[in-house]
Amino acid sequence: MKTHPILEQHPERRTKCLVYTRVMGYHRPVESFNIGKKGEHKQRIHFNECKC
């Protein structure tokens, strides 16, 4: 994965980003998933629903 040049110039300014997803009616951080669930999360396809 290629990083943005500005991020490469200022690595000390980077912070960790927590990604949450909805699981069984509540939100959980993806980093707390087991290895199988993390793989499943990476395979998800994101889409935009039309406003028809």
Side-chain angles (χ1 to χ4, degrees), residues 7-51:
L7 295 176
E8 292 174 359
Q9 292 172 2
H10 304 285
E12 71 282 354
R13 297 185 74 187
R14 296 184 79 177
T15 60
K16 187 175 183 177
C17 175
L18 289 176
V19 177
Y20 281 77
T21 187
R22 186 171 175 266
V23 179
M24 299 297 290
Y26 59 96
H27 293 86
R28 287 188 56 198
V30 173
E31 74 175 12
S32 70
F33 287 175
N34 64 33
I35 193 165
K37 193 68 168 172
K38 285 180 183 177
E40 182 182 308
H41 184 264
K42 285 183 181 180
Q43 292 177 346
R44 291 182 183 174
I45 298 172
H46 297 271
F47 66 94
N48 293 321
E49 190 173 0
C50 70
K51 297 179 182 180

